Amino acid sequence: MGGRSAVPSPGRLGLLEATARADLDTLGWYDKASVGVLWALSRAADADLALKALVRFRQAADAADWAEIDELIRTDKTFRGRLFAVFGASDALGDHLVAEPGVWRHLLPRDLPTAEQARTEMLASVGAEPEPDQTAGSLLFRAEVTGPQAIGRLRVAYRNLLLRLAAQDLAATVEDEPVLYLPQVGGHLADFADAALTAALAVAIREVLGDKPLTTRLAVIAMGKCGARELNYVSDVDVVFVAEPADTTSARLAGEMMRVGSLAFFEVDAALRPEGKRGAMTRTLESHLAYYQRWAKTWEFQALLKARPMTGDMALGADYAAATGPMVWSAAERDDFVTDVQAMRRRVESLVPDTEKERNLKLGRGGLRDVEFAVQLMQMVHGRADESLHVRSTLEAIDVLTRKAYMGRTDGANLHASYEFLRLLEHRLQLQRLSRTHLLPDPADDAAMRWLARAAHIRPERSLVAAEVLRRDLRQQRTRVRQLHEKLFYRPLLEAVTRFDKDSLYLHNKSAERQLAALGYAQPERALAHIKALGSAPGRRGQVQMLILPSLLQHISDTPDPDAGLLNYRRLCDELIGADWFLRLLRDDGVVAERLMHVLGTSEYIADLLMRSPDVIQLYSTGATGPKLCEVTSEDVVKGLIASMRRHSDPRKAIAVARSHRRAELARIASADLLGLMDVQEVCRALSTVWAAVIDAALEKVMAATAAETGAPAPARMAVIGMGRLGGGELGYGSDADVLFVCDPVAGADETVALRWAQNVADSVRSLLGTPSADPPLEVDVGLRPEGKNGPIVRTLASYRAYYHQWAQAWEVQALLRAHACAGDPGLGLEFLHMIDEIRYPDGGVSPEAVREIRRIKARVDAERLPRGADPMTHTKLGRGGLADVEWTVQLMQLRYAHRYPALHRTSTVETLDAIGEAGLIPEDQVAMLKDAWLTATRARNALVLVRGKPVDQLPGPGRELRAIAYAAGWPQDEAAEFLEHYLRVTRRAKGVVTEVFGA
């Protein structure tokens, strides 16, 4: 019985291609003498890819070269490891080896080229010589070769440098070779980029000047990863140009250098220059400084953190670095620092399509940008007082932050390791085809994941194959990066103020205050006091707070008012000091924690409600069918409210119960609104429903109490007619309840007695509901009754009929358009509506005189009702294209056409607009403009109340308050200006429609 063959089969070697055996025979390697070579080949990231490339390599090489190569493969493990690793990990570099005879010899030197050697090779490829009369250290040369020939030579020379580095970087995956760590790889790549652009500038000088002397000083400043000497294999190289003078010649030189560099090596990008792509290509040093002092945004200072003189006039470059460097460290003191930083982080995350967020190594959650953002922010915060943090490299900054105790040793080591791991994967992905990519393979693509794992030197573990190990490690590393972000900012703060663990006390109070200020806290000393009080709570509560506070503080810092958010959280904890469920819920349900902090840092209105109705917080969780806040229906709330009130005979106690239900329902609705779980119309309907239920229950309870007190049955039926926004089902948070009280004596009852009784009931209802309390007010407004303030509060149905038929003025008829029975006797309410239908929807429509009167009243309202000092452009109710404009226009259309179109018999403004569009009374685009304006103004008006906690109609100007209102209205904080522009644009268009339709 024969044993296993001494020569491993292609399958044992991991070779899956059907041609593998024939290819090995072609190379002469399928024998006992070549077993070491075969096993080395099997360790390549993709052995099949490497074998195919080796066959092509063999065919392209002449016989003498191949004999030498074959001998080296058999005898020199270093050479073999480099060659096989390149062929198995990089299609592009494999093609380069095959296409360029003799290039393989670049794999022989033991050492990588120094920066000077790389520059010499690049300059030699185009025959460049130093420019005469340059200052010491200057890197200005003039090439002999230009045009397409120069680009071809530069490309080959640069690829040779990349080949040498990649071969040594990858060799350890095949043979036992020294490992090149990320800082070494990034440093060499930055040296190669410097050398490459020095040569490109030499070509540009020849192209632009020919043989003319160079009279312009031009310095090239490396930015971004190149400036930090942590460059990728394939990356844009960001540059800024400084020139003396900044004339046409310097601009032409800069532009030509970028063109040559982009064609030969990599994309050369000057978008980080002042004013970005709209700005001048070259500026003097004085001009740069003037821009940064007056106009630069926070992200531009953050970019300067990595600025480094790269090539050209190095003395001028050094002057630039010396002059701009200090500006970086004062940026954290700017008023807009926090807003800009938060905006930048959100913008970066928004760039990633949803389908790629889990696969994007750079911009996805737990990706490279998370590390870089956290590290740079900590540098900018603490670097004001600590010059040791004035470093460019991310890894170097992590090490300094760790050494100087701004982050714990374990956290620093973990962040360092995670960043190196993610960058290693990024490098391997880019080497595959020398393409600028940050996208991981589809996790379900086993072949691609296996290749990436092997290229990154990830090996199987126990029962896990390499691809599964990679998937596991990726999950762990990205989760750790995301968690470390909150720990880095907040765990040290807790330990600094609570001294929970003296051995890991990272920050002094001043450092902690600086950090809090940079995270958006306007009063960091008070924030520290709150944190100390929370973290120092006795017993189990303090321990749980220490566990959850880092995450909570992270969420609070993302809100418009972190100071208020933290204060509200502390107040809530004080209110719930005996409620064990509260902290347990925040600890165990991250969704609840995030949503609650979002609310507490945005809305004073909701925060106040939650203090008295904390059980609503339990609805912040997600149930089987979605958010629990939306699982509760208004109808269920109404049933519960009525049932609870009926259990109390005392009207005052019953009203107190109604207030409690209403408070909880307001908290639920407002929370769902702020969290984007309910749209505008749903919010308005829910608010109207709960208001109507409170009035209905109060009326029932007062009538029952009156009957019990007198011992006689009620002498009349009563109904409450909702008017205005209540009648239209469109109440906002700051709206009063406009109503009419109507009664109808029962058979045999004296009308005078019935009216007196109904008057007492109505007065009691209004008085009980209007009693001052800590809750949002329950004002029942009867100002729309016949004869206004001079008329009786309650009328009989017959009295209303007589009045409206004989005396109704145009505005009273208009007000009836939104009348809807909302409480009391449903039969009487329906009779009232049938009675007024002939008033509000008269045959033939309203008279021309009535139309003129309505227009006159509207003009008077526009002229007189707008509060003094209000901005008519941004007043949500009475301003241009605001709520009143749209509602008056819709109501005039109803008065004129509802007799012909029954679909217009509606009390809701939005529903009536839809009916107007369906009837074709005005074009659909105009209907859409009016509807958009009404919804936009309503959302803005509701957001004003949510943020400020009281009824407000005027949008503020640019600033912190506008950012909060924009955020409450569903816009990112950094888009407050866009929110205001959108509001102005929408209402301007609506005003055009109002002018045309209302005035027609």
Side-chain angles (χ1 to χ4, degrees):
M1 183 175 179
R4 176 179 287 183
S5 169
V7 181
S9 67
R12 286 181 64 199
L13 295 169
L15 295 166
L16 305 179
E17 293 286 341
T19 58
R21 172 63 187 271
D23 289 340
L24 291 173
D25 285 335
T26 298
L27 296 170
W29 290 352
Y30 203 68
D31 54 31
K32 288 184 180 180
S34 305
V35 169
V37 173
L38 295 176
W39 284 118
L41 177 64
S42 75
R43 293 190 291 270
D46 186 334
D48 284 301
L49 176 67
L51 180 57
K52 288 292 184 187
L54 281 161
V55 170
R56 290 190 295 121
F57 187 44
R58 166 74 180 84
Q59 293 166 348
D62 59 39
D65 269 6
W66 179 251
E68 185 179 354
I69 292 166
D70 187 67
E71 179 64 20
L72 285 167
I73 288 172
R74 294 175 184 277
T75 60
D76 187 339
K77 287 187 177 181
T78 296
F79 176 80
R80 181 170 72 201
R82 293 175 181 179
L83 185 69
F84 285 7
V86 168
F87 276 141
S90 177
D91 266 338
L93 290 177
D95 290 345
H96 181 64
L97 275 164
V98 172
E100 299 292 334
V103 162
W104 60 271
R105 295 187 182 278
H106 285 286
L107 303 184
L108 293 172
R110 289 299 189 255
D111 296 323
L112 287 166
T114 63
E116 292 74 16
Q117 291 168 341
R119 186 165 59 243
T120 299
E121 289 182 25
M122 293 302 306
L123 291 169
S125 71
V126 288
E129 296 293 335
E131 279 291 297
D133 305 323
Q134 293 299 316
T135 56
S138 176
L139 297 178
L140 289 163
F141 302 81
R142 193 175 304 225
E144 185 62 33
V145 183
T146 59
Q149 185 182 12
I151 289 170
R153 290 189 182 186
L154 288 170
R155 182 181 295 118
V156 170
Y158 184 68
R159 283 286 172 93
N160 289 344
L161 291 173
L162 286 187
L163 173 65
R164 291 173 66 175
L165 176 60
Q168 291 202 27
D169 189 12
L170 293 162
T173 65
V174 174
E175 297 289 359
D176 187 15
E177 291 292 307
V179 173
L180 281 183
Y181 293 101
L182 179 64
Q184 296 171 280
V185 175
H188 282 298
L189 287 168
D191 289 342
F192 297 168
D194 291 358
L197 291 186
T198 300
L201 181 57
V203 173
I205 290 172
R206 173 65 69 182
E207 294 270 11
V208 173
L209 297 177
D211 294 326
K212 296 176 184 176
L214 175 64
T215 57
T216 296
R217 298 180 69 191
L218 180 66
V220 185
I221 310 298
M223 308 288 280
K225 282 188 166 62
C226 188
R229 292 180 51 76
E230 51 188 12
L231 196 60
N232 291 335
Y233 274 101
V234 185
S235 177
D236 289 355
V237 171
D238 296 303
V239 296
V240 168
F241 296 99
V242 190
E244 300 288 350
D247 54 10
T248 3
T249 301
S250 68
R252 288 179 62 201
L253 287 171
E256 187 63 16
M257 186 204 86
M258 290 176 62
R259 186 188 71 82
V260 172
S262 295
L263 289 173
F265 320 123
F266 36 69
E267 189 70 27
V268 184
D269 192 345
L272 293 180
R273 66 186 184 269
E275 298 182 80
K277 293 181 179 179
R278 295 173 299 172
M281 185 65 73
T282 59
R283 286 176 182 253
T284 64
L285 177 55
E286 183 182 1
S287 175
H288 273 284
L289 296 179
Y291 174 81
Y292 286 120
Q293 287 163 355
R294 293 191 62 187
W295 307 110
K297 296 180 180 177
T298 300
W299 69 263
E300 293 177 281
F301 292 106
Q302 194 165 350
L304 281 176
L305 193 152
K306 296 184 181 295
R308 171 180 63 85
M310 175 188 214
T311 191
D313 190 317
M314 296 298 280
L316 180 58
D319 291 342
Y320 173 90
T324 58
M327 296 180 176
V328 174
W329 311 109
S330 60
E333 299 170 0
R334 293 157 58 99
D335 290 340
D336 57 357
F337 176 76
V338 178
T339 307
D340 283 353
V341 168
Q342 290 175 337
M344 182 165 45
R345 183 174 60 182
R346 282 190 291 271
R347 194 174 301 119
V348 164
E349 290 189 355
S350 71
L351 294 175
V352 189
D354 289 339
T355 55
E356 296 181 3
K357 283 187 176 178
E358 294 304 314
R359 295 172 54 202
N360 195 301
L361 271 175
K362 182 178 180 180
L363 305 179
R365 291 179 65 85
L368 293 164
R369 273 288 189 265
D370 272 358
V371 179
E372 292 160 356
F373 171 83
V375 170
Q376 289 171 26
L377 183 57
M378 291 188 76
Q379 277 185 274
M380 294 179 77
V381 170
H382 300 298
R384 287 178 287 171
D386 190 342
E387 292 189 4
S388 66
L389 287 167
H390 296 189
V391 296
R392 299 186 181 97
S393 159
T394 301
L395 288 176
E396 189 177 353
I398 291 172
D399 292 342
V400 177
L401 286 165
T402 306
R403 188 172 68 250
K404 299 301 289 289
Y406 294 107
M407 66 174 77
R409 287 187 297 274
T410 302
D411 291 343
N414 285 337
L415 197 65
H416 194 292
S418 293
Y419 189 68
E420 283 197 308
F421 175 81
L422 296 175
R423 286 293 303 276
L424 173 63
L425 295 184
E426 182 183 46
H427 280 183
R428 296 300 177 259
L429 289 167
Q430 293 179 347
L431 272 176
Q432 189 175 28
R433 296 182 180 84
L434 282 187
S435 61
R436 182 173 176 264
T437 182
H438 311 285
L439 203 61
L440 289 161
D442 187 327
D445 187 340
D446 286 329
M449 291 297 284
R450 178 178 182 273
W451 166 84
L452 179 58
R454 290 169 63 86
H457 210 182
I458 294 172
R459 294 294 183 244
E461 291 181 12
R462 301 183 186 89
S463 61
L464 298 180
V465 299
E468 291 171 340
V469 175
L470 173 59
R471 291 187 186 100
R472 181 202 66 194
D473 289 353
L474 263 171
R475 284 194 301 271
Q476 292 175 347
Q477 298 285 359
R478 297 183 75 168
T479 300
R480 184 164 74 178
V481 166
R482 202 66 179 185
Q483 290 173 342
L484 277 172
H485 176 76
E486 66 184 36
K487 268 194 81 175
L488 288 177
F489 287 116
Y490 301 107
R491 180 65 63 190
L493 290 173
L494 292 177
E495 292 167 353
V497 297
T498 63
R499 302 185 180 273
F500 181 72
D501 179 358
K502 292 182 180 179
D503 292 333
S504 56
L505 178 57
Y506 310 145
L507 300 178
H508 297 298
N509 273 13
K510 286 299 178 185
S511 297
E513 286 181 16
R514 281 200 303 271
Q515 192 156 305
L516 282 167
L519 292 166
Y521 291 87
Q523 298 177 311
E525 66 288 346
R526 292 189 182 179
L528 278 180
H530 296 321
I531 293 169
K532 183 172 184 177
L534 291 164
S536 301
R540 180 68 176 160
R541 290 182 63 81
Q543 294 174 15
V544 176
Q545 290 284 15
M546 288 295 291
L547 180 67
I548 65 176
L549 265 172
S551 174
L552 301 186
L553 291 168
Q554 166 73 46
H555 296 317
I556 291 173
S557 74
D558 289 335
T559 65
D561 194 344
D563 296 271
L566 184 54
L567 172 61
N568 286 330
Y569 176 64
R570 182 179 174 185
R571 289 172 56 211
L572 197 54
C573 288
D574 290 343
E575 288 287 336
L576 297 174
I577 198 165
D580 293 339
W581 64 265
F582 176 59
L583 290 183
R584 187 168 60 247
L585 180 64
L586 297 184
R587 181 195 64 194
D588 297 339
D589 195 329
V591 172
V592 174
E594 183 174 0
R595 287 174 174 169
L596 179 60
M597 298 310 112
H598 180 137
V599 165
L600 295 180
T602 307
S603 174
E604 202 63 32
Y605 181 86
I606 305 176
D608 287 342
L609 290 171
L610 291 178
M611 300 297 165
R612 305 187 67 203
S613 295
D615 287 347
V616 175
I617 295 168
Q618 297 182 70
L619 299 178
Y620 281 30
S621 187
T622 299
T625 59
K628 290 183 179 179
L629 285 166
C630 299
E631 288 181 351
V632 179
T633 67
S634 296
E635 290 72 22
D636 291 338
V637 172
V638 168
K639 290 176 184 175
L641 184 150
I642 292 172
S644 297
M645 284 189 69
R646 283 175 176 169
R647 287 196 287 268
H648 295 274
S649 57
D650 183 347
R652 295 186 182 279
K653 291 182 179 179
I655 296 298
V657 170
R659 286 181 180 278
S660 175
H661 279 269
R662 173 177 177 264
R663 182 193 316 129
E665 178 65 350
L666 287 179
R668 181 190 74 85
I669 296 166
S671 297
D673 181 11
L674 188 66
L675 295 169
L677 305 176
M678 293 175 72
D679 64 29
V680 174
Q681 288 177 268
E682 289 173 326
V683 169
C684 292
R685 279 195 295 270
L687 291 172
S688 302
T689 300
V690 71
W691 238 121
V694 170
I695 295 174
D696 189 37
L699 181 64
E700 177 185 325
K701 184 55 60 179
V702 170
M703 288 174 65
T706 303
E709 183 180 329
T710 60
R717 296 181 297 159
M718 280 192 73
V720 181
I721 308 300
M723 304 288 282
R725 297 188 187 286
L726 176 60
E730 295 172 337
L731 279 180
Y733 298 112
S735 303
D736 291 340
D738 290 306
V739 301
L740 300 178
F741 285 97
V742 58
C743 73
D744 188 43
V746 297
D750 181 86
E751 183 173 317
T752 303
V753 172
L755 267 174
R756 188 182 307 113
W757 172 87
Q759 176 74 47
N760 290 335
V761 168
D763 287 342
S764 295
V765 167
R766 294 178 63 213
S767 174
L768 287 169
L769 292 178
T771 302
S773 76
D775 293 330
L778 279 160
E779 295 295 336
V780 177
D781 191 338
V782 291
L784 293 179
R785 66 189 185 273
E787 301 180 74
K789 294 180 180 179
N790 298 319
I793 299 296
V794 184
R795 285 177 181 260
T796 63
L797 182 63
S799 174
Y800 274 113
R801 178 182 292 109
Y803 177 86
Y804 284 131
H805 276 284
Q806 188 171 1
W807 305 108
Q809 299 179 47
W811 69 267
E812 292 176 301
V813 175
Q814 184 182 349
L816 290 175
L817 290 170
R818 305 185 80 177
H820 183 77
C822 71
D825 188 290
L828 179 58
L830 188 59
E831 290 176 40
F832 180 89
L833 297 182
H834 285 318
M835 179 270 294
I836 64 169
D837 278 352
E838 58 190 73
I839 307 296
R840 55 184 176 176
Y841 311 130
D843 290 338
V846 294
S847 65
E849 293 77 17
V851 171
R852 284 195 295 271
E853 176 64 10
I854 289 170
R855 288 174 178 159
R856 185 192 67 78
I857 296 172
K858 175 68 166 62
R860 183 177 174 185
V861 167
D862 289 345
E864 299 177 4
R865 291 279 301 280
L866 193 70
R868 179 174 296 181
D871 183 351
M873 309 288 276
T874 53
H875 195 277
T876 57
K877 183 177 181 181
L878 301 174
R880 179 198 69 178
L883 296 171
D885 268 355
V886 176
E887 289 164 359
W888 280 69
T889 301
V890 168
Q891 290 159 18
L892 182 60
M893 296 287 290
Q894 286 179 285
L895 291 170
R896 298 178 72 181
Y897 301 109
H899 66 288
R900 281 194 299 177
Y901 300 96
L904 269 61
H905 294 190
R906 300 170 186 266
T907 59
S908 161
T909 302
V910 174
E911 291 177 5
T912 306
L913 271 170
D914 288 336
I916 288 170
E918 289 170 7
L921 296 176
I922 61 175
E924 284 291 345
D925 63 327
Q926 291 189 336
V927 170
M929 290 179 195
L930 292 176
K931 188 174 179 179
D932 193 12
W934 191 90
L935 293 172
T936 298
T938 300
R939 177 174 284 280
R941 193 179 189 218
N942 282 346
L944 278 161
V945 178
L946 290 178
V947 170
R948 300 189 62 178
K950 58 184 179 181
V952 183
D953 293 318
Q954 179 71 61
L955 286 174
R960 186 167 188 154
E961 189 176 17
L962 181 65
R963 289 198 297 270
I965 290 160
Y967 191 66
W971 290 67
Q973 288 185 66
D974 55 300
E975 294 184 14
E978 289 83 349
F979 161 75
L980 189 57
E981 288 172 9
H982 173 76
Y983 180 89
L984 293 171
R985 181 171 60 252
V986 166
T987 53
R988 182 180 66 248
R989 290 173 178 170
K991 186 63 175 180
V993 178
V994 169
T995 302
E996 179 180 341
V997 176
F998 186 83

